[in-house]
Amino acid sequence: LDGPAASMINRHAVAAKADLIVMTTHGRGPIARIWLGSVSDELVRKTCIPILFVSPHETEADVGRDALFDRIIVPLDGSNLAEQILATVTPIASATQAEIMLVRVVQQWLQTRYAAGGKRVGGLRPSLRKQLQVIDERERNNAAKYLERIAKQLREDSLIVITRVLTQQSPASAILNCATAQKNGLIAMATHGHGGLKRLLVGSVTDKVLRGGRVPVLAQRPTDKLAVPSDDAAYDTSHAACEV
């Protein structure tokens, strides 16, 4: 293919009606990503076709290995956009008999601080501390109920689904820590497709997960964030929104 790598890969995948794109990512940092460019970064913002990102390893690839995923970690934030990844995850889980772990990260209002000697540091009035505890507990309960509602729908299709509420200030770190603890795990999540300086200033959980760990990541841009092109009528309508 001749032309800009990300655009040509996307155009070819759309024309071929591909179900999945698989590629390795170099995991460059935010400044290098802006100035040097990244095919994977640009592609995930251009296409609505799911992309499976695999971090490169020093050893040669073992093409004969059975690389079935035992567990698929699906971070959800309560939005319809994030839930769109489930349409891609469920066929994979059904075909591989993999367990789906639905994850919701909640941030605590009540933070526990420690002094240099390892002793807890308070500093809050008892009344305020109690209010924050109530808020934290309510947030965790709401997150658990939300995940169970989604899990119940998936279990109706004979899928194995568990839920987990994670409490941490950084959603990306919480997701990576959870995935790293799993053997033969896969992270599957939607991305809002921010790029360039906006990604650097605002941050992207998907981007941080992609660059921060060694666990394979299945990323997909929600389709209702995309515009339908008008320059190529030959594209199938089901794939048209992938070309922006």
Side-chain angles (χ1 to χ4, degrees):
L1 303 177
D2 294 327
S7 295
M8 297 309 298
I9 292 171
N10 181 40
R11 183 171 291 271
H12 179 73
V14 171
K17 300 181 181 179
D19 299 305
L20 181 68
I21 299 172
V22 183
M23 62 190 304
T24 56
T25 174
H26 293 171
R28 297 191 180 103
I31 299 297
R33 185 184 297 276
I34 288 177
W35 293 109
L36 300 179
S38 167
V39 174
S40 58
D41 180 67
E42 185 178 355
L43 186 59
V44 79
R45 290 186 287 110
K46 279 183 174 293
T47 187
C48 64
I49 299 174
I51 307 176
L52 177 60
F53 292 102
V54 182
S55 299
H57 296 275
E58 297 297 332
T59 58
E60 293 185 2
D62 182 6
V63 295
R65 174 189 172 192
D66 292 333
L68 298 180
F69 301 112
D70 296 329
R71 177 170 290 173
I72 305 176
I73 298 93
V74 183
L76 299 175
D77 60 8
S79 68
N80 292 330
L81 292 178
E83 293 171 11
Q84 285 192 31
I85 193 64
L86 293 172
T88 301
V89 167
T90 50
I92 298 175
S94 179
T96 62
Q97 299 298 307
E99 180 181 72
I100 298 176
M101 175 187 285
L102 302 180
V103 172
R104 179 78 182 268
V105 182
V106 295
Q107 296 183 351
Q108 283 185 299
W109 287 86
L110 182 62
Q111 297 297 312
T112 302
R113 296 183 175 89
Y114 293 88
K119 296 181 179 180
R120 291 190 178 186
V121 179
L124 294 177
R125 297 192 306 272
S127 59
L128 179 57
R129 176 179 291 273
K130 185 175 181 180
Q131 291 177 10
L132 294 179
Q133 287 176 337
V134 171
I135 294 175
D136 286 342
E137 184 176 0
R138 183 179 62 203
E139 290 297 315
R140 288 192 295 268
N141 289 338
N142 289 340
K145 291 178 181 178
Y146 163 72
L147 292 178
E148 280 299 324
R149 177 173 59 83
I150 302 297
K152 182 179 179 181
Q153 298 173 1
L154 297 176
R155 290 172 185 140
E156 292 177 354
D157 293 327
S158 301
L159 295 170
I160 304 173
V161 186
I162 62 175
T163 64
R164 180 171 297 178
V165 177
L166 305 177
T167 304
Q168 196 165 330
Q169 289 302 106
S170 169
S173 296
I175 294 167
L176 286 171
N177 291 338
C178 178
T180 303
Q182 315 301 322
K183 185 178 180 180
N184 296 329
L186 166 70
I187 301 174
M189 58 193 306
T191 175
H192 291 179
H194 295 317
L197 187 60
K198 185 174 182 180
R199 181 188 295 273
L200 178 62
L201 297 177
V202 179
S204 166
V205 174
T206 308
D207 185 64
K208 292 176 182 177
V209 169
L210 279 170
R211 292 187 289 109
R214 307 287 289 180
V215 180
V217 179
L218 179 67
Q220 184 174 13
R221 187 181 178 190
T223 54
D224 61 355
K225 295 277 287 185
L226 301 171
V228 177
S230 57
D231 58 342
D232 195 342
Y235 282 176
D236 184 88
T237 55
S238 62
H239 285 70
C242 297
E243 181 68 27
V244 178

